[in-house]
Every structure is written in C-alpha cells, then in structure tokens.
Amino acid sequence: MNIKRISLAIPFFGVALMLVQSLAFSADQKPAFGDCVLSNAKPTQHFQTKVPGVLTIAGPIASSPTGYRGSNPSNINGGDLYCLTAEIAYRGGLTSVKIVNLPWDALISGNNKDFDFTVMNVAITPERQKVMDFSIPYRTVNPVVVVKGNKVLTESQLKTAKVGIIIGAKRYENFLKDTVGVTAIQQFDTNADMLHALMAGFIDAAFSDSTGLMPAVARSNGAMKVIARYDIGTSLGVMFPKGSPNVALVDSILNDMKADGTLAEIERKWLLPVLGGDPVALPVWGK
C-alpha cells in the first residue's frame, strides 16, 4: 500500500487567521449574522464557553468556501455551516462568535482544546470519538468520485488509479483499500489542495463527501466532473474537545432544529443551490 500525504500551498491561507463576529442584541432583538436568517426560537439555556459570552469555533475555514461564504475569514457572511453555527449560538444564548482558522490535522488530533466546538462537516468515526466528542448527526452524506472534465474513469479502473482523500478520513481510506482495492492513496490537508492536485495531474481522482467536492466542481465550468457516488452513509456532527460541557445542549438544539424545520431550511437555502446537482441522481458504484 502506497499512502502519501501531500500538502500544497494555497494562497488563500495567507489571510487573517481570526474573525470575531459581534452579535450584541437585546431580549427583543435578534443578533445579526451576515445574511443568515435566524429562527424565532428563544434561547432557553446557555453554553459554557472558553470565553464568557463568546462561542469560539475552529477549523480550516478557507477549505469550505460554501460552508463559510466570504472571500476571507474577515468577511464571512453566509453559507450553510456558518448559518448553522449562527443558529446554534443564538439558541445557546451567546452574543458573539470567534472563528479561528485551524489546520485539519490539528483540528482532529485532539491536542488542541482552545475552542468550544467546530462545525466543519466532520465525519463521526470511532477513531475520532476516542479523542474528541461529537453531537448527534446533523447530516448524512455519501462520498463521490471526481475526475477532470475530459477524463474517462470506470469503476473497475478506480482500483489502479491514484486517488486523493483528506487527512484523517480513515473510514474512506479503509473503504478504498479493503473494499474497492485501491493501491495508491494520497492524502491532503483540504479538499482545495486535493482538487488542485487533481487538476495538476498528481492524482487521477478525488474521493470525499459530496458536500465537500460538488460545490467546487459546479464552479469549475466543466474542468472537473462528478462521475459516481458510493452509498456508505457518513454521519456528520458538531465536534468538541474531549470532555466538553456543551455536547448535551448542542444535541438538544439540533433536535429542536430538526423538529421545527430550521435545519432543513438552512440546507434548502444554502446547501442545495451550491451543489450543482442532486447527489441522489449520480450513478452508484459498489452495488
């Protein structure tokens, strides 16, 4: 098995590493979170945060331009993950959010505890649960296969192709190795790094969640295409430093958001339009 880690320098990461969104509001006034539209739910409980009154979230924000919409972390004003975070913060009675740009491998290592939680479409896996805590799933996604727009790659050819995955995606790595039979896997810090490598010819295919890859493909003007999905159902959750006191409250908020339709509305408004197509309509490999 030849598994390599490749890190490509992306100019985007030269931006400021921290963003503080001010959310001052009174009892009869909702906080302002860019273009996010908050629900009419009222805060009933309050988070215990690292900094009183401030929710600190962390992650490789630049790697999710549709989840956190903005040209850089200083002007984020929308996106499905940002608006999900905004709603959770609001229902948790907080008045501000600080977003810290943290590399993916540092985020999932369990060694950094200087944040309250992260909403970065992190897959809930047994390996990660050993070092981090997770909420109940807020979304279930499947991985897709992305190639160059002029590339022909069949299901049988995937096993001999050079396939890229994200660092820490152990479940996908094991699936590609043990089930598909892929022998050349390369790991990348972010989806953006991986897709740059794809276009540069370092890999033949990119393999990651539909929500992570499809928006970039939709913006590529045909330079890339999604050719298939695998129905292996990955659950995504809010991730916390181990021992966080906020897991139960986030679980309660997510359950309420599912019940009152807020979660579905955030996906309808912010996620589905940027995917460029319905993942359900893709050919299914591995049947």
Side-chain angles (χ1 to χ4, degrees):
M1 170 59 56
N2 177 23
I3 300 177
K4 299 179 180 178
R5 172 178 171 177
I6 293 181
S7 179
L8 300 181
I10 304 299
F12 196 97
F13 285 94
V15 300
L17 295 183
M18 188 175 294
L19 163 69
V20 177
Q21 285 282 358
S22 178
L23 301 178
F25 62 98
S26 62
D28 58 353
Q29 183 181 15
K30 293 179 184 178
F33 253 102
D35 293 333
C36 302
V37 178
L38 298 175
S39 72
N40 292 321
K42 301 296 183 183
T44 58
Q45 300 182 63
H46 291 76
F47 288 117
Q48 300 177 46
T49 54
K50 302 291 183 181
V51 179
V54 178
L55 175 65
T56 303
I57 68 170
I61 305 301
S63 71
S64 183
T66 55
Y68 291 87
R69 189 188 69 183
S71 60
N72 60 66
S74 68
N75 61 12
I76 293 172
N77 61 7
D80 67 299
L81 301 182
Y82 179 66
C83 291
L84 173 56
T85 300
E87 184 69 27
I88 293 173
Y90 170 56
R91 295 193 188 205
L94 296 178
T95 59
S96 64
V97 168
K98 180 171 70 175
I99 304 176
V100 179
N101 208 3
L102 187 67
W104 181 254
D105 50 352
L107 177 68
I108 63 173
S109 69
N111 295 323
N112 191 313
K113 299 182 182 296
D114 295 330
F115 63 96
D116 296 306
F117 59 71
T118 184
V119 184
M120 281 299 300
N121 281 343
V122 183
I124 304 170
T125 67
E127 293 81 10
R128 291 174 184 165
Q129 287 175 313
K130 293 176 182 177
V131 296
M132 307 292 288
D133 287 334
F134 284 87
S135 71
I136 60 173
Y138 62 81
R139 183 179 299 153
T140 299
V141 297
N142 288 300
V144 296
V145 180
V146 173
V147 298
K148 284 186 178 181
N150 59 0
K151 175 80 171 181
V152 175
L153 185 72
T154 66
E155 182 175 1
S156 61
Q157 291 171 334
L158 184 64
K159 64 179 61 178
T160 58
K162 295 178 182 178
V163 181
I165 62 172
I166 296 301
I167 291 169
K170 196 67 178 178
R171 182 174 181 231
Y172 288 170
E173 179 185 330
N174 291 339
F175 175 77
L176 287 172
K177 265 194 320 184
D178 302 335
T179 303
V180 180
V182 176
T183 57
I185 298 174
Q186 296 182 1
Q187 299 185 8
F188 298 87
D189 288 326
T190 67
N191 284 318
D193 286 356
M194 180 164 57
L195 293 177
H196 277 280
L198 176 70
M199 294 307 299
F202 293 121
I203 57 174
D204 301 308
F207 188 87
S208 191
D209 297 333
S210 57
T211 52
L213 294 183
M214 289 184 68
V217 173
R219 298 191 305 269
S220 74
N221 294 319
M224 296 180 287
K225 61 184 177 182
V226 186
I227 58 174
R229 76 174 196 268
Y230 283 91
D231 284 345
I232 59 177
T234 298
S235 295
L236 308 179
V238 177
M239 188 175 73
F240 309 77
K242 201 69 175 175
S244 170
N246 297 309
V247 179
L249 179 51
V250 170
D251 283 349
S252 176
I253 289 172
L254 289 175
N255 277 325
D256 289 344
M257 290 177 65
K258 291 177 182 180
D260 64 26
T262 304
L263 190 56
E265 177 60 20
I266 290 173
E267 293 191 358
R268 183 199 66 78
K269 178 178 180 179
W270 291 103
L271 180 61
L272 294 181
V274 302
L275 291 182
D278 189 347
V280 176
L282 292 169
V284 179
W285 286 0
K287 291 182 179 179

